[in-house]
Amino acid sequence: MGKIVVVGSINVDMVFTSDKRPKAGETVIGNTFSLIPGGKGANQAVAASKLGADTYMIGCVGNDSNGEFSLKNLRDMKVNTRAVKIVDKAPTGLANIIVADNDNSIIVIPGANFEMDKDVIKENKALLLSADMVLLQLEIPMEVVEYVVDICAENKVRVLINPAPAAPLKKSLIEKATYITPNEHELRLIFDNQETDAVLKQYPNKLIVTMGSRGVKYHDGNEIREVPSNKVDVVDTTGAGDTFCGALAAALVRGDSIEGAVIFANKAASFTVTRLGAQSGMPELADLL
Ligand code: RIB
């Protein structure tokens, strides 16, 4: 069992389901509403923990009931929360999620997630250095992401960046990361609209591109490898990318090859989309074996 430290966001997801996605200026009657633990960081931590990794979270929540709800959920999922700071300045992060037409649209209000700063990282540097792998997403300030990657690179700690939501990445950050897991939209934004295969060839065994129902692509040093998705009945795609990243990290730290880890993570992501909510459908190890 390897040790994973996730540095990232913690949100509460307000999930509305509807047969129809409202257009600008339109009101539609929906079907259901749920309050569900979310946030890309927390989702990835839960995915890794459920799949057997010893998982720690570094992040911030507000001093409010949503913060308590999020922390309790992480603890229930056996994610260690001793490095999650409770801040007074901002409320716990929120996400407004509409699930309609087999897809989702999300607005995130970062709140406490944007209170993450270099001091929070300095306070937890020993934890970072003890990790077999550190996971990052882009729902916390970019300067914190860059600071963590610098520390990891200087100390030879493997670091996986999931560049979501999409934002440009500095070339130096790309060079220092061990793994980067964009979807195709994020890939185009980061690599100046270059074609997927052209970019993959430049970053063998580092860049792993998720393509939704079309599977995953990476370059193994010799050729581009494609892992198709498993065909499932989709209920909600929210958190599929997070499950992929958490599962990929869990497999890599236990010693799987990239090929094995990608196949495993792809299976885990397919499992997740059969249930409503980012974390609700995440598999345990037994589900995948
Ligand atoms: O990736 C899905 C997540 O994005 C949701 O849980 C929501 O909180 C947003 O952060």
Side-chain angles (χ1 to χ4, degrees), residues 122-142:
K122 282 179 196 156
E123 281 158 27
N124 293 292
K125 189 167 170 187
L127 176 61
L128 270 187
L129 298 189
S130 70
D132 292 307
M133 189 175 297
V134 169
L135 259 69
L136 288 156
Q137 318 73 32
L138 305 183
E139 284 184 334
I140 57 171
M142 188 59 101

Side-chain angles (χ1 to χ4, degrees), residues 29 33 47 50 56 71 73 76 80 113 115 118 120 126 146 159 163 171 181 187 214 232-233 250 260 266:
I29 302 289
F33 171 74
K50 286 186 87 170
Y56 292 69
L71 281 172
N73 171 67
D76 288 348
N80 188 307
N113 296 306
E115 296 302 313
K118 289 184 182 175
V120 175
E146 291 171 357
V159 59
K171 182 104 170 119
T181 56
L187 182 102
R214 289 182 294 115
V232 290
D233 290 331
N266 209 22

Side-chain angles (χ1 to χ4, degrees), residues 9-14 36-41 43-44 93-97 104 106-108 139 162 164-165 237-242 277-279:
S9 57
I10 302 169
N11 295 334
V12 170
D13 292 351
M14 302 182 300
I36 307 180
K40 295 186 194 302
N43 294 344
Q44 294 183 19
L94 281 175
N96 178 312
I97 304 184
N104 63 56
I106 306 181
I107 299 177
V108 171
E139 284 184 334
N162 174 226
T237 55
T238 313
D242 297 333
Q279 293 178 21

Side-chain angles (χ1 to χ4, degrees), residues 21 24 64 74 84 102 105 119 126-127 131-133 157 164 193 230 234 246 248 259 262 286:
R21 189 177 307 281
D64 49 29
L74 285 168
V84 177
N102 273 337
S105 347
D119 287 340
L127 176 61
D132 292 307
M133 189 175 297
V157 176
N193 273 319
N230 305 329
V234 175
L248 185 75
E259 183 185 18
V262 168

